[in-house]
Amino acid sequence: MMKIMDTHCDALLKLQLRKRGTFFGMEPLDYRTSEEIDTNLIRLKTGGVKVQFFAIFIEPEVPFDEKWQHALEQVNLFYTEIIDKNPEVKHIKKWEDIDDLKDGEIGAVLTLEGADAFGNDLVKLRHLYRLGVLSIGLTWNNANLCADGAGEPRGGGLTLLGKEVVKLNNEHRVYTDVAHSTVKGFWDMLELADYPIASHSNARAICDHPRNLYDDQIEKMIEKNGIIHVVFNPPFIREDSETATITDLVRHIEHISSLGGVKNIGFGSDFDGISTFVTNLENAAQYQNLINELLTKFSEEEVRGFAYQNFLDKRPK
Ligand SMILES: [Zn+2]
């Protein structure tokens, strides 16, 4: 079974919403086994996932003065439900920790999707670095104090604060994630970021969606030694269909490769954040179906790169 690195999932939001629901009599979710969690621990093991990124994500409807509390609740659940209860799951606190993972161990990386969590408070951001956040996307789809998100019709780039955050990411060897950026924000970030990642985005030439990257953006990512992790959300894979097949997804990988990105490609499923699925790639347990199809079109070494090694080679030194 080929080792997998997955740079985006939203399991923490699911865990948090159900934890809050316990106040109203709901049962909390068991991260290890819950069928409701696409990336539960059993499924990660079944699919060969060796390192899984977990995003802190605050829904835009949460009032400003409650966002930090939501972020802390998700960090707390990352520690209590994912790390503390599962001895085989190791918290990756710095990039070198990945090298220490033993057979049977799984690395868990904490990330942030949207600077909304810390507002304009860089002390809070510094706490997030201390808590182990290793990748930061400035926005989700909405605008915040750092930047506009991909869903904002205004399409603005980075604010002064946003630029400051990218510089702090560089100092801390933390990725700046362009996945939810506007086009203008993307170019602002690529000018400043030492460590750019698209943690869950596809190619816009194949599927023209604002969450995907144009060819010149992909080429810039390659030039800056960045990594592009393709996302398994059907609306970002095909424009003309509600569903998608693994073959449809592989088309994005072929396209990015044709632009010279064969060493820059990875996977960022967006499991637990998506509601429709690629057929036969519906949760982390099915990851090897993607590997098997890739092996019919790429060399084994190339597929190992997509699955795991490209990220290891390009991670911040
Ligand atoms: Zn996302």
Side-chain angles (χ1 to χ4, degrees):
M1 200 157 51
M2 211 174 264
K3 273 195 291 193
I4 306 287
M5 164 96 54
D6 182 325
T7 53
H8 193 83
C9 82
D10 283 306
L12 293 181
L13 178 65
K14 278 190 180 172
L15 288 170
Q16 187 211 6
L17 292 178
R18 283 292 287 273
K19 177 79 175 178
R20 285 195 160 219
T22 57
F23 186 73
F24 306 102
M26 291 170 91
E27 285 292 312
L29 294 174
D30 177 357
Y31 169 67
R32 195 176 184 89
T33 59
S34 172
E35 291 279 318
E36 291 178 49
I37 300 179
D38 308 328
T39 55
N40 75 35
L41 185 54
I42 301 301
R43 285 174 167 158
L44 294 188
K45 288 183 183 184
T46 306
V49 178
K50 185 71 179 166
V51 178
Q52 177 67 54
F53 287 34
F54 293 89
I56 304 163
F57 168 64
I58 320 293
E59 291 173 296
E61 295 76 19
V62 173
F64 281 116
D65 55 0
E66 294 174 30
K67 288 181 192 285
W68 180 239
Q69 174 63 26
H70 279 249
L72 291 183
E73 285 176 19
Q74 290 183 27
V75 173
N76 184 58
L77 289 163
F78 174 81
Y79 278 93
T80 60
E81 303 306 307
I82 296 175
I83 305 294
D84 295 350
K85 286 188 180 168
N86 302 292
E88 68 271 56
V89 180
K90 300 296 173 194
H91 183 190
I92 304 298
K93 296 180 183 133
K94 54 183 192 307
W95 295 115
E96 294 76 14
D97 293 348
I98 294 173
D99 301 322
D100 298 333
L101 290 172
K102 299 186 183 71
D103 281 350
E105 290 182 344
I106 290 175
V109 176
L110 197 53
T111 71
L112 177 67
E113 183 171 45
D116 312 52
F118 60 83
N120 70 340
D121 188 344
L122 297 180
V123 172
K124 287 176 179 165
L125 173 60
R126 286 176 187 280
H127 282 307
L128 290 174
Y129 292 136
R130 287 186 194 106
L131 288 164
V133 168
L134 290 181
S135 178
I136 293 184
L138 293 185
T139 66
W140 187 63
N141 293 330
N142 52 300
N144 60 35
L145 295 174
C146 286
D148 280 359
E152 286 291 345
R154 177 173 62 179
L158 268 56
T159 62
L160 281 177
L161 178 69
K163 292 179 180 179
E164 184 66 28
V165 171
V166 174
K167 288 177 195 160
L168 284 169
N169 286 347
N170 292 345
E171 279 174 31
H172 288 81
R173 292 197 307 152
V174 163
Y175 273 107
T176 297
D177 190 349
V178 304
H180 280 269
S181 179
T182 61
V183 171
K184 185 159 191 322
F186 172 92
W187 291 104
D188 287 349
M189 280 187 249
L190 266 283
E191 204 168 286
L192 293 171
D194 291 340
Y195 312 111
I197 183 176
S199 69
H200 56 306
S201 294
N202 290 336
R204 204 150 177 177
I206 306 292
C207 175
D208 187 11
H209 189 287
R211 281 278 288 97
N212 291 341
L213 297 168
Y214 287 115
D215 284 359
D216 60 345
Q217 295 177 298
I218 291 169
E219 282 161 357
K220 187 70 181 177
M221 289 291 284
I222 295 166
E223 182 195 314
K224 288 226 26 179
N225 217 24
I227 38 175
I228 302 161
H229 287 241
V230 295
V231 56
F232 304 172
N233 191 17
F236 306 162
I237 297 171
R238 283 185 68 151
E239 291 158 50
D240 56 344
S241 164
E242 307 262 291
T243 59
T245 63
I246 290 178
T247 310
D248 296 327
L249 174 63
V250 170
R251 240 169 247 136
H252 290 266
I253 294 176
E254 289 173 312
H255 182 74
I256 298 168
S257 297
S258 76
L259 298 173
V262 78
K263 295 279 183 201
N264 304 74
I265 295 169
F267 308 139
S269 63
D270 210 1
F271 283 139
D272 294 311
I274 55 179
S275 47
T276 58
F277 298 93
V278 174
T279 307
N280 297 323
L281 192 55
E282 283 143 41
N283 60 60
Q286 297 183 328
Y287 242 118
Q288 299 297 320
N289 293 338
L290 171 59
I291 298 300
N292 291 337
E293 175 130 353
L294 284 167
L295 285 170
T296 67
K297 295 184 168 124
F298 294 90
S299 74
E300 189 176 326
E301 197 197 334
E302 286 169 337
V303 179
R304 272 185 209 288
F306 304 152
Y308 195 75
Q309 194 61 38
N310 288 350
F311 183 93
L312 280 203
D313 293 345
K314 302 236 181 279
R315 69 188 148 159
K317 298 286 182 309

